[in-house]
Every structure is written in C-alpha cells, then in structure tokens.
Amino acid sequence: MSLPLEGIKVLDFTGVQAGPACTQLLAWYGADVLKIERPGVGDITRSQLRDIPGADALYFTTLNSNKKSLELNTKTPEGKKILEELIKGADILVENFGPGAMDRMGFSWERIQELNPGLIFGSVKGFGENSRYSDLKTYENVAQCAGGAASTTGFWDGPPTVSGGALGDSNSGYHLLIGLLTALIDRQKTGRGQKISVAMQDAVLNLCRVKLRDQSRLERVGYLEEYPQYPNMGFGDVVPRGGNAGGGGQPGWVLKCKGWENDPNAYIYFTVQDQNWARTAEAIGHPEWANDPEYNTAQARQLHLFEIFEEIERWMADKTKYEAVDVLRKYDVPCAPVFSMKELAYDPDLRESGTIVEVDHKVRGKYLTVGSPIKFSGFKPEITASPILGEHTDEVLTGLGYTPEQIAELRAKKVVSA
Ligand code: CAO
C-alpha cells in the first residue's frame, strides 16, 4: 500500500522524546526517516531504564519505530562530508540537541541553506531564541514548569505538580510536525525550504491556553466561579491550582466508586452538564433537583457542588466504575472510568483500532508500543520495530556510492561504528 509521505527523505538528528516523537509520526505515514546517531552510543534512551540487559530500552523503542539508523560521527571531517551529502538529498532535517549544538557542529541554518535551499529544517529547544532562558537545556518537567502547566496542576494546598502526559516533549514534537507539514506544502509553491523552530515552553503554554484565559478573567472580575476556591476560599492574583475541577464551562470532579479503598483507580470522572441537568439529576436518584431553584441553574449549583458530588459518591458506593458509567451513559452524562495503564495496555478496543500494538524486535522479541492515534480512511499505518543502532549504516553509505573498502576505512577511523 502506498503511504502519503512516501518519497519524503528525513534526516533525524533527534534524541530522547520531543524530536523522536515528531519523526516517528513522519515514519508511520511513509517518510524515509534516517536516524543519525553517535557511533557506539546512539540516542541516549537506548540505554536508559533498560528492562532487558543488552537490548534497546522500551524508552527508545516506543519513540523510534519505523525508522532506519546510521551510526556517524558528524564531528569528524569525513562524517561532516557524509552529512553534507545526505543533506543535499533530503527534504527535511529535524534536530533537538541542546542550544547551539548544530552551529558548533558546523551545520547552522545558513550553512544548511547553502547545501540545500529546498531543505526544511525543524528544531526543538526548551525556550525561544529571544528568551532570556534560551541557553537552558530542557527536559519534559522543566518545560511543564516553564509553560504554565505545573503552576496550574495539582491541589491548592500542595506544590506545583507535573502531569503524566508529555506536554513538554511529545507535544512539542507534534507542534513541530504541523510546522514541517505546513512548510512542505509551502515548498510545493515556492520551491524553498524554511526553518521551523518550536520552543517547549511555547508548546506547553499553547496547551494551557484555558489557564491563560482564566488569568485574564481573574484580573477582570477577581474570581473564577468554576474553581473549588469559589466562593469560600477566595482568590489571589494568579490562577490557582484547581484540583480535579473541570477546565471548561461544565463543573466536574473525580469521584469514588465501589472499591476505592483498595483500588487506586476505582474512580470515574463526572461532568455536570448544564444542558443535561434534568437527566443528570434523574440518573443519580434526585429527579426533584431538576426543578428545585437551589439546584436548577449552574449558578445555584455552584454553591452546592461538593454536596452534589458527595451525593453522587453515595449513589456509586455499591457500583464499580464500569457499572456507574454504564448507568450514566444512558442519561448522556459526560463521564468515563479512570483507567490504569494496565487496563489500557490490555484494552481490546485499543488493540483492535491499532492505538496499541505489539511489534517484533530482533533483540527484544515482541514488545508493546503505541500505534497511530490518528486514523485515516485511506490507509492504516503499519508499526514496525525500532532499528538496532547502526542497522542501516552500510546500506546508507553504499547508497551514497561508498565501496566496501571505503566503508571499512571509515570504520577503522571510528567515523562509523567499529
Ligand atoms: N556525532 C557527533 N556528535 C554528536 C552526534 C553525532 N552523530 N550527535 C550528537 N552529537 C553531539 C552534539 O553535537 C552535542 O555536542 P556539543 O554539545 O559538544 O556541541 C552533543 O552530542 C549532544 O548534546 P546535547 O546537548 O543534545 O545532549 P545532552 O544529553 O547533554 O542534553 C537535552 C539533552 C535533551 C537536555 C538537550 O539536547 C536539549 O536541551 N535539547 C533541546 C530541548 C529538547 O528537545 N528537550 C527534550 C528532550 S526530551 O525530555
């Protein structure tokens, strides 16, 4: 089956998560993605959090499926020459090294344009080029703290808290991906490439836009009525941490179900939807609340919200999270069980849709990983294993016209793996 990005050549100079998440999607959708890695070392995640001695860690395999791997020391004269040749034949180059590393290696944006004016160059850094923090190396949680996620996540009586979702890493990679695809379409019209820069701080803030909205609302009216702090705890001059409160116009909370004493995930998320209040009240055994002025408007309910949540928990005390949702779905209540990672890993629907897949790996054997969360009517991406370090070194160099003798010489000089 022909895939949409077939024929697009990507040089993947990425590591850890932000960059690899971006290029993995390009690879899933058909691009020829070549990971360029330091000889003998490779992407640092190959060896981080290893669960099988000597095998690539799941950290690496989860982010690098469907790619090829070239071991190449791009700081040697021979390595630079090979990289130059690769750049001349590529469509996209993606990197997420620490600030300044590409320039120090001799591949500034100006130099890249000289080599290939049609090349699209994608770059992830922690902070924008004009930022006073632009020199900082950045990991996931650093970005979550710098982009507003941590100060607005958690409970009001606890410290800033980071999310389990990769708001800094994969999210930045996906922002970059949108930029790369936009630039590809632009290149069809202009013939020219361009540089796309994504700062992790910006990508996190972009996802925290409702909190930025709340800051403006707070400054105008002095309170945020959907936060648990309203009306009794009061507000300062910054958006507070709202626990599990709903971020939109509909209040919600994480509520206990049967078994919560022993099961850390025996909970559901329950949303009180204004336009569905009469049916919600009926579902939880209080049909009389539908017309009671103490409860029948969003404003009135706000004062009773935690009383309502307690009542729902009482109603759910003899119901598992699945049973509760099965009743509530009949009344159109927006809700879901809180699923553990174990439940998700073995979820038959997610397996069937290809959101979670098992892949065969030369060294590891079968491993579980994510598949495409984006579904296309025209094709279904097939997820293949991540490459072994340097698996495609000979293939790539031969393709560039190097003879076996020349490749052996490069090996002897440690330009490629020994
Ligand atoms: N051949 C020769 N040298 C290579 C090479 C290759 N194939 N590939 C990488 N290198 C070199 C780089 O040129 C760089 O050298 P210098 O620093 O001497 O110029 C070095 O290896 C790697 O530098 P680094 O800063 O990327 O690596 P690090 O492990 O110290 O930092 C990280 C990692 C992620 C903190 C940093 O890369 C970073 O801040 N990246 C930008 C933000 C980002 O994407 N973070 C997301 C990471 S996921 O949590």
Side-chain angles (χ1 to χ4, degrees):
M1 194 200 323
S2 150
L3 295 170
L5 298 183
E6 252 172 47
I8 301 293
K9 288 195 167 160
V10 180
L11 301 181
D12 183 2
F13 240 146
T14 69
V16 201
Q17 184 172 166
C22 168
T23 51
Q24 178 166 262
L25 257 72
L26 290 169
W28 284 349
Y29 305 148
D32 184 3
V33 177
L34 179 64
K35 216 170 149 81
I36 304 175
E37 303 184 77
R38 265 175 294 181
V41 184
D43 188 326
I44 191 106
T45 59
R46 284 186 184 270
S47 57
Q48 280 181 334
L49 312 176
R50 265 193 176 135
D51 58 323
I52 301 176
D56 286 331
L58 289 166
Y59 198 174
F60 178 82
T61 60
T62 303
L63 286 152
N64 292 286
S65 52
N66 297 55
K67 303 181 185 176
K68 292 179 176 171
S69 168
L70 165 70
E71 275 179 298
L72 185 70
N73 185 339
T74 51
K75 284 185 173 168
T76 60
E78 297 88 343
K80 282 183 206 285
K81 184 167 167 282
I82 293 168
L83 183 57
E84 284 177 5
E85 290 171 53
L86 288 170
I87 287 175
K88 284 177 190 164
D91 298 287
I92 294 175
L93 188 155
V94 184
E95 68 89 20
N96 70 319
F97 293 135
M102 283 301 281
D103 292 357
R104 289 194 291 278
M105 203 188 280
F107 292 92
S108 63
W109 171 225
E110 290 70 30
R111 176 70 185 132
I112 288 170
Q113 281 173 291
E114 277 168 22
L115 291 167
N116 180 353
L119 191 99
I120 293 160
F121 175 42
S123 176
V124 174
K125 297 286 166 270
F127 296 82
E129 280 167 21
N130 67 319
S131 166
R132 61 196 180 283
Y133 297 115
S134 64
D135 58 326
L136 287 182
K137 287 185 175 179
T138 307
Y139 285 109
E140 172 68 53
N141 292 343
V142 174
Q144 288 202 27
C145 289
S151 69
T152 53
T153 303
F155 284 80
W156 44 92
D157 52 358
T161 303
V162 295
S163 159
L167 306 177
D169 283 341
S170 285
N171 171 42
S172 299
Y174 293 165
H175 274 79
L176 181 64
L177 182 67
I178 294 165
L180 296 175
L181 297 176
T182 305
L184 261 182
I185 291 172
D186 185 58
R187 194 182 69 169
Q188 287 169 2
K189 297 179 206 151
T190 65
R192 292 200 66 80
Q194 54 182 306
K195 180 178 176 184
I196 294 110
S197 306
V198 170
M200 294 167 77
Q201 181 187 37
D202 300 2
V204 172
L205 178 58
N206 191 34
L207 286 201
C208 292
R209 64 186 74 171
V210 297
K211 300 296 178 181
L212 191 65
R213 170 204 69 187
D214 291 348
Q215 184 63 35
S216 299
R217 289 170 59 218
L218 185 64
E219 286 175 17
R220 187 173 295 275
V221 297
Y223 62 88
L224 299 165
E225 67 262 32
E226 76 281 26
Y227 281 61
Q229 286 82 351
Y230 178 84
N232 299 324
M233 280 189 269
F235 290 85
D237 64 354
V238 299
V239 174
R241 290 185 273 288
N244 288 314
Q250 295 82 23
W253 204 254
V254 168
L255 300 179
K256 291 171 190 159
C257 295
K258 184 178 160 188
W260 67 272
E261 298 90 340
N262 301 314
D263 176 353
N265 297 304
Y267 293 81
I268 68 166
Y269 198 88
F270 190 105
T271 314
V272 182
Q273 209 190 12
D274 191 33
Q275 58 271 44
N276 197 39
W277 173 242
R279 300 195 73 209
T280 305
E282 194 186 343
I284 60 174
H286 281 282
E288 75 284 4
W289 282 353
N291 297 313
D292 183 337
E294 283 288 310
Y295 295 93
N296 69 357
T297 65
Q299 211 178 0
R301 277 193 300 278
Q302 201 60 44
L303 303 173
H304 298 290
L305 211 49
F306 282 88
E307 181 197 314
I308 295 170
F309 291 148
E310 272 175 34
E311 199 51 34
I312 300 170
E313 285 187 338
R314 261 194 289 280
W315 174 77
M316 292 195 299
D318 63 348
K319 296 173 187 65
T320 66
K321 59 185 177 184
Y322 314 107
E323 289 165 348
V325 168
D326 276 345
V327 176
L328 295 170
R329 73 201 306 176
K330 296 190 183 107
Y331 294 86
D332 280 341
V333 174
C335 62
V338 171
F339 286 126
S340 68
M341 269 303 143
K342 185 174 178 184
E343 288 173 295
L344 293 168
Y346 296 99
D347 186 304
D349 300 341
L350 297 177
R351 296 284 184 118
E352 192 191 328
S353 70
T355 298
I356 288 184
V357 292
E358 277 187 22
V359 173
D360 260 325
H361 185 273
K362 280 184 182 157
V363 180
R364 298 190 58 88
K366 267 200 191 324
Y367 68 92
L368 192 70
T369 190
V370 288
S372 176
I374 305 168
K375 312 299 178 193
F376 298 85
S377 64
F379 72 102
K380 186 169 180 180
E382 188 200 339
I383 312 304
T384 58
S386 58
I388 309 295
L389 180 60
E391 187 174 337
H392 304 91
T393 300
D394 282 25
E395 177 188 314
V396 172
L397 294 178
T398 307
L400 289 175
Y402 286 77
T403 63
E405 294 72 30
Q406 287 170 320
I407 296 174
E409 201 178 317
L410 290 170
R411 284 221 154 81
K413 288 183 167 173
K414 296 194 165 52
V415 175
V416 300
S417 51

